[in-house]
Amino acid sequence: MKFKNPFIGLTKFEWCLWTISVVVVTGSFVLSGSSDILTIIASLIGVTALIFVAKGYVFGQILTVIFAVFYGIISFYFKYYGEMITYICMTSPIAVFSIITWVKHPFQKSSEVEVNKLSRRQIYILIVSVIAVTVIFYFILKYLGNANLLFSTVSVATSFIASYLTLFRSPFYAIGYAANDIVLIVLWILAAAENISYLPMVICFAMFLVNDLYGFVNWRRMKQRQESTFISNV
């Protein structure tokens, strides 16, 4: 896999999407009057990571690891222990493994990862694993007194699904993250209702949702293009 300035590969639309995401997230931070610098840093890293994950660039996974750490710290302060544990102990480590698998599976030695179709075995493992993770985390979060237990438990499940699909380079990773974004928008709306300084997190995940939906569309295009290239080379 070739490593180069990842911004060079962005299309005009992707530049616009990234710029709008950065402006909207920064604007919400300023308007909310928040002084929590970690929130704005995490949000900007997050929206930047997503545009490169949508491109299938390993740089996006590197930024995902950094975002997961920042987001875990923010979640700890609001007693969203499920989010903290999920992102620091699950999302971040899986993103590290994703870096490795993506580097090992470039599409024709380019910066773009090779899109994969899950095997039946991988699908069965996903189903069993997500059920086990959801049940275990429900009782852990209940014991810890996690705020908004139900939504936090659903967030753990959707995060695991998205991370698993990302690890195995499936286009449906984006659907998993989109579902997770919706849950997190609800969670942080509840948090912002108590403390307006958390409003940027609501806006952050709203922009995440837009980016993840684009990610699904672009990965489908990547898959079709890669399959066409393979067929033409046979």
Side-chain angles (χ1 to χ4, degrees):
M1 179 174 286
K2 296 179 180 179
F3 293 96
K4 59 182 180 180
N5 182 353
F7 285 92
I8 294 177
L10 297 183
T11 64
K12 290 182 179 179
F13 175 81
E14 289 161 350
W15 269 107
C16 289
L17 178 58
W18 177 71
T19 302
I20 291 172
S21 298
V22 169
V23 170
V24 170
V25 167
T26 303
S28 68
F29 179 80
V30 174
L31 293 176
S32 70
S34 174
S35 59
D36 185 359
I37 194 65
L38 281 180
T39 299
I40 185 63
I41 291 175
S43 300
L44 293 177
I45 292 174
V47 294
T48 303
L50 287 182
I51 198 67
F52 291 113
V53 172
K55 291 287 289 184
Y57 289 178
V58 70
F59 181 61
Q61 292 300 328
I62 294 172
L63 291 179
T64 298
V65 174
I66 300 172
F67 167 75
V69 174
F70 276 98
Y71 182 66
I73 295 172
I74 294 170
S75 299
F76 172 77
Y77 284 128
F78 198 75
K79 295 183 179 180
Y80 279 162
Y81 300 123
E83 293 301 295
M84 178 194 72
I85 295 172
T86 298
Y87 274 80
I88 292 181
C89 299
M90 185 176 72
T91 302
S92 182
I94 293 179
V96 171
F97 284 114
S98 295
I99 292 173
I100 298 172
T101 58
W102 284 29
V103 168
K104 288 183 176 180
H105 295 88
F107 176 65
Q108 297 186 343
K109 299 181 180 180
S110 67
S111 299
E112 183 179 284
V113 71
E114 182 179 29
V115 180
N116 178 50
K117 181 180 180 180
L118 293 182
S119 65
R120 288 187 178 182
R121 179 173 178 272
Q122 290 171 332
I123 294 174
Y124 293 148
I125 292 175
L126 171 61
I127 294 172
V128 173
S129 297
V130 74
I131 292 174
V133 167
T134 302
V135 172
I136 292 172
F137 266 82
Y138 172 81
F139 288 105
I140 290 175
L141 300 182
K142 185 177 182 180
Y143 175 77
L144 293 174
N146 192 89
N148 300 306
L149 179 61
L150 177 60
F151 286 113
S152 292
T153 304
V154 175
S155 178
V156 170
T158 52
S159 291
F160 180 82
I161 292 171
S163 296
Y164 183 95
L165 294 175
T166 302
L167 176 64
F168 290 103
R169 299 170 286 116
S170 169
F172 290 98
Y173 87 89
I175 299 301
Y177 274 124
N180 184 242
D181 294 334
I182 294 173
V183 175
L184 293 178
I185 288 171
V186 174
L187 273 176
W188 289 108
I189 285 176
L190 295 174
E194 297 183 25
N195 187 338
I196 194 61
S197 66
Y198 288 107
L199 178 61
M201 293 307 299
V202 178
I203 305 302
C204 170
F205 283 107
M207 295 312 302
F208 276 27
L209 177 59
V210 174
N211 279 270
D212 282 323
L213 292 176
Y214 170 69
F216 179 68
V217 172
N218 195 55
W219 271 62
R220 296 289 289 180
R221 291 174 182 167
M222 287 165 52
K223 184 175 184 291
Q224 293 175 355
R225 184 177 68 253
Q226 291 178 10
E227 289 177 345
S228 297
T229 302
F230 176 76
I231 293 174
S232 64
N233 290 335
V234 173

